[in-house]
Amino acid sequence: MIPFLDLKLQHGALEPELAEAARRVIASGQFVLGEHNAAFEAAFAAFCGCPHAVTVNTGTSALHLALLAAGVRPGDEVITTPSTFVATVAAIQYAGATARLVDIDPETWTMNPALLEAAITPRTKAIVPVHLHGRLADMAPIMAIARAHDLTVIEDAAQAHGAELDGRRAGAIGDIGCFSFYPGKNLGACGEGGAVTTHRADLAARVRLLRDWGQERKYLHVEKGFNYRLDELQAALLNVKLPHLQSWTQMRRHAAARYDRNLAGAGVQQPAPPRGRNHVYHVYAVRVSDRDTVRAKLAPDVGTNIHYPIPVHLQPAYADLGYGRGDFPASELLADETLSLPMFPGITDEQVDAVCDALRDVCKARSSLHGKAA
């Protein structure tokens, strides 16, 4: 069985360093916002090419605080896409704002900039493009539209650590970048974690204040904040992992290129090449009709996943958005047909080839069956 994700590979290789980092935290007796957080903030800011990075406890908290720092308030509107994990929309609602959704581009699977202008109203305050699967959204036109309407751009970069556009990395292209360090992410903690990145000192300072109960100094609360701090243990472990992120990304790109070659003509659809943008392949997904049947036939030998089977506007919990089936056809098609294949640093060429062979066989058998039925 080829697993969809194998975290034991990276943790096994780094086990002595991770154990030593954990030992140092325990020995220090300081478990919240200490030297390990400060070191990780500096290193992650440098990695992203931003002067400021502020750690928080989850990627959702990063989005929530970024929206508040951008001045989003109840009554405002924020534009994003329905093709994302629900946290993107949940954070907008945490800030008291209304999420207005625009569909994705059916070729790139990310926010369609051609639909943005029509979604902007006098109440619009910010745009949250989602770098789905580790592929940057089409940031150049999104930024141009945002600047023309004086809107803040908050990158949902939860899946895009290290993705690049013209030498600039995710989190350093918009006004604010939001990252998740959930264990399965390209840079994952051994628990929950997140960070906000920005070029602007005022935004960083406000996020820093809000993540720690609105404290300007100990027991002086200048506004109502949140307990969104990253613990020292996670920061220490992330400090061990961050220097390896580039090599892990290269492994993902190598596997993705092999998938691209092997699956050409296999009866599945792949997203358009990431023109001018360096993809980091948090997810390698293809579109295939009869997706659930194909997935079931692969199951004995190949672990797969679906990101995400129900777009946000069709989730029962988000019926209050007021949308229905048919409102975002590209997102709905993606939800119905995408299948995420095994992808992780250390996946071997032989494993990728075996996944491709199995997928080809299933698609070929399905075509033969349909041909006979016709």
Side-chain angles (χ1 to χ4, degrees):
M1 172 73 171
I2 299 170
F4 172 72
L5 174 66
D6 188 350
L7 293 178
K8 293 178 182 175
L9 283 176
Q10 65 174 243
H11 290 149
L14 297 176
E15 186 174 351
E17 294 174 71
L18 293 169
E20 173 58 21
R23 188 200 65 76
R24 290 201 306 271
V25 172
I26 294 168
S28 75
Q30 182 167 7
F31 299 103
V32 178
L33 295 185
E35 61 177 300
H36 298 285
N37 258 279
F40 180 69
E41 287 180 345
F44 193 64
F47 174 83
C48 294
C50 267
H52 307 284
V54 184
T55 58
V56 290
N57 60 341
T58 67
T60 310
S61 299
L63 287 164
H64 183 198
L65 296 191
L67 289 158
L68 295 181
V72 173
R73 295 290 180 269
D76 291 336
E77 294 179 352
V78 176
I79 300 172
T80 189
T81 80
S83 190
T84 183
F85 185 61
V86 295
T88 314
V89 172
I92 293 169
Q93 294 190 335
Y94 290 170
T98 298
R100 282 182 64 85
L101 305 181
V102 297
D103 210 352
I104 57 171
D105 181 318
E107 298 297 320
T108 67
W109 304 359
T110 60
M111 178 180 278
N112 188 341
L115 303 176
L116 260 180
E117 292 271 7
I120 295 172
T121 76
R123 294 166 58 194
T124 305
K125 191 80 175 183
I127 302 171
V128 183
V130 179
H131 302 323
L132 191 72
H133 297 173
R135 175 196 185 110
L136 287 178
D138 199 356
M139 291 300 290
I142 292 171
M143 292 302 297
I145 293 168
R147 293 296 178 251
H149 293 271
D150 193 25
L151 304 176
T152 301
V153 175
I154 299 170
E155 299 173 67
D156 185 337
Q159 302 182 352
H161 314 68
E164 294 177 334
L165 169 67
D166 297 330
R168 291 178 299 160
R169 283 186 166 160
I173 303 169
D175 298 286
I176 312 176
C178 297
F179 291 87
S180 167
F181 303 125
Y182 187 76
K185 292 294 193 291
N186 289 31
L187 178 63
C190 295
E192 299 272 9
V196 173
T197 55
T198 180
H199 290 279
R200 288 177 47 181
D202 61 324
L203 294 176
R206 183 149 170 77
V207 171
R208 201 174 294 280
L209 184 75
L210 288 171
R211 75 168 173 183
D212 189 19
W213 293 109
Q215 291 186 100
E216 193 172 80
R217 64 174 186 271
K218 192 171 184 179
Y219 299 136
L220 176 61
H221 303 266
V222 296
E223 66 176 299
K224 293 174 182 172
F226 304 87
N227 181 6
Y228 283 175
R229 299 166 301 203
L230 180 71
D231 68 73
E232 280 287 276
L233 180 59
Q234 300 307 329
L237 299 177
L238 287 166
N239 276 323
V240 173
K241 288 187 168 188
L242 181 57
H244 300 275
L245 181 54
Q246 275 293 80
S247 65
W248 292 339
T249 298
Q250 290 307 317
M251 293 179 194
R252 290 177 183 272
R253 288 174 175 156
H254 173 83
R258 198 170 184 90
Y259 273 129
D260 287 344
R261 290 193 300 272
N262 287 0
L263 291 177
V268 301
Q269 289 186 300
Q270 297 154 287
R275 296 175 295 274
R277 289 167 271 179
N278 286 331
H279 199 317
V280 293
Y281 296 98
H282 173 61
V283 169
Y284 186 94
V286 295
R287 268 186 51 209
V288 56
S289 59
D290 298 329
R291 186 264 318 278
D292 294 337
T293 301
V294 171
R295 187 184 190 204
K297 289 186 179 300
L298 290 173
D301 301 312
V302 178
T304 58
N305 207 338
I306 301 173
H307 299 82
Y308 302 94
I310 304 173
V312 179
H313 70 289
L314 298 181
Q315 294 283 355
Y318 292 91
D320 60 334
L321 294 173
Y323 298 109
R325 182 166 286 281
D327 285 337
F328 306 105
S331 295
E332 292 167 20
L333 184 63
L334 200 69
D336 289 342
E337 294 193 349
T338 53
L339 182 65
S340 303
L341 304 180
M343 174 58 77
F344 49 87
I347 188 171
T348 65
D349 289 350
E350 290 74 20
Q351 286 176 311
V352 172
D353 292 347
V355 173
C356 295
D357 290 345
L359 185 54
R360 276 181 172 278
D361 288 345
V362 171
C363 290
K364 187 176 178 181
R366 184 191 55 177
S367 297
S368 298
L369 184 62
H370 289 173
K372 289 177 181 176

